Amino acid sequence: MTRPHAREIHTAAEFDAAVIHGSLLGYRIQSVDLTDHTFALLSASTTGAVFLGCAMQPEAAAKVRADGALVFPPVPDLPFDPYRARLYSPHELFEGVRDEGYEATPDARAYDWFQRTKADGDVFASMLRSIHDDAISDALDELLGGSGVVGVMGGHAMGRGTDAYAGAARLGRSLARTGLTVATGGGPGAMEAANLGAYTAPLADAVLDEALELLAKAPSFTPSVTEWARAAFEVRARWPKGGDSVGIPTWFYGHEPPNPFAGHIAKYFANATREDGLLARCTAGVVFLPGAAGTVQEIFDNTTPNYYESRGEPTPMVLVNRAHWTERLPAWPLLQALAANRPMAARIALVDSIDEAPEALRRL
């Protein structure tokens, strides 16, 4: 997709194309390694430019500061880049999982850093987390701008090898085949199943059935995230040309690893930012599968802007499994009561089975 901010520079090639004009006035250069671009930096005017986490040679850094550019230098010894210009990929977060296990991955190391610095109450670490999360939001907006995005929410406890997991995967596949971008909370269980379905959407129907069989040998991320992740990457390796979807997880829930089937992973430190951003971007509606406290929270986080129409017209909400949402966790009666006599009343639905959800979403 075309980025809406033409004066943002995210790659060395974009830097070369911009600097050839002799001035970087007004440009924001984001997390680009410029150590081999010293001559260009010394030659060009960098007045009014902003450099976010760009490595430079000392003489280049001194010159751009003297020009009046604003320079945020790279932060050493961090397990993540706070100024990153793109979302994560599964291979990036799980690097090393095949040979060394999950504990050695960038995902696990970032969580460990989060836990340690959160306990310290370090204001510098807090600032770095905020910068990182804002950069992730910016990258997410650039990826999804203009796309029809449908959310699939549900609990992390849904195990591979179950009928419910297979149903959630079929749902993700069905939604992706309509041309919508599937977005989930990015974790295991129902979220992984929906991302898996979107991944298999461009492939033959039989691929999903075979993938489900392979994944069933590691039904849960407990007791071993390593074995759970390795099974997923085995599926990706066998069928490498899967479709894209988005996962939006958080290090706040450190016991939940991100799932490897979302092609783009927007992982946040702040769960509140992540929750609101995920739901706000689901412009084509949200399907809520059975879940517990987290899914209930997401239902009513989505209800509030629909109730007040603070984001414009209400967006569709489809709750799946009548018994779950009317008896076990009776969110549906409260949702109906809130929607009564309001425009959102025409945008909510309760269905019995997961296979009814795509049609209900289309109808709404």
Side-chain angles (χ1 to χ4, degrees), residues 54-72:
C54 298
M56 306 179 204
Q57 298 291 353
E59 62 268 34
K63 185 265 183 185
V64 300
R65 285 191 175 95
D67 276 355
L70 191 58
V71 179
F72 292 79

Side-chain angles (χ1 to χ4, degrees), residues 51-346:
F51 294 85
L52 299 165
C54 298
M56 306 179 204
Q57 298 291 353
E59 62 268 34
K63 185 265 183 185
V64 300
R65 285 191 175 95
D67 276 355
L70 191 58
V71 179
F72 292 79
V75 181
D77 303 321
L78 277 182
F80 64 94
D81 177 5
Y83 308 106
R84 60 181 301 117
R86 67 189 190 284
L87 301 182
Y88 293 98
S89 72
H91 290 92
E92 183 179 3
L93 286 176
F94 284 98
E95 183 182 2
V97 73
R98 289 183 182 276
D99 300 323
E100 302 175 74
Y102 174 70
E103 292 72 17
T105 65
D107 185 64
R109 289 188 284 111
Y111 174 64
D112 288 344
W113 176 89
F114 178 34
Q115 290 296 98
R116 185 174 64 254
T117 58
K118 185 174 64 172
D120 292 344
D122 183 356
V123 66
F124 180 57
S126 176
M127 182 189 74
L128 291 174
R129 294 195 296 269
S130 296
I131 291 172
H132 169 274
D133 286 1
D134 191 67
I136 289 293
S137 290
D138 183 62
L140 190 58
D141 285 338
E142 290 172 357
L143 175 75
L144 296 178
S147 298
V149 180
V150 59
V152 179
M153 310 298 156
H156 68 257
M158 185 184 288
R160 295 168 173 174
T162 63
D163 290 343
Y165 185 95
R170 290 194 305 272
L171 172 66
R173 183 177 65 182
S174 176
L175 294 172
R177 284 179 173 175
T178 67
L180 294 169
T181 297
V182 173
T184 77
M191 297 169 280
E192 181 190 53
N195 287 127
L196 168 65
Y199 184 81
T200 62
L203 309 174
D205 286 355
V207 169
L208 179 55
D209 295 332
E210 293 180 53
L212 291 170
E213 287 185 21
L214 285 172
L215 293 171
K217 67 185 183 183
S220 174
F221 64 96
T222 58
S224 173
V225 175
T226 298
E227 295 308 314
W228 175 85
R230 284 173 178 168
F233 281 105
E234 182 180 346
V235 169
R236 290 186 64 104
R238 185 170 297 195
W239 297 283
K241 296 184 178 180
D244 263 344
S245 64
V246 176
I248 307 181
T250 174
W251 280 293
F252 182 80
Y253 295 129
H255 62 292
E256 290 187 17
N259 80 73
F261 291 110
H264 306 280
I265 301 177
K267 191 152 191 181
Y268 287 87
F269 288 105
N271 187 49
T273 304
R274 168 251 189 179
E275 288 274 10
D276 184 68
L278 168 57
L279 294 166
R281 290 173 174 87
C282 293
T283 53
V286 183
V287 178
F288 296 93
L289 303 178
T295 310
V296 172
Q297 178 181 338
E298 287 162 346
I299 289 173
F300 291 105
D301 279 349
N302 200 42
T303 297
T304 301
N306 279 346
Y307 181 89
Y308 289 111
E309 299 182 60
S310 55
R311 296 181 185 139
E313 288 188 11
T315 52
M317 300 174 65
V318 179
L319 277 61
V320 176
N321 192 314
R322 189 175 303 274
H324 187 85
W325 294 121
T326 62
E327 298 170 19
R328 296 186 193 98
L329 295 173
W332 175 251
L334 179 53
L335 182 59
Q336 274 190 308
L338 285 167
N341 301 315
R342 304 188 75 88
M344 69 174 287

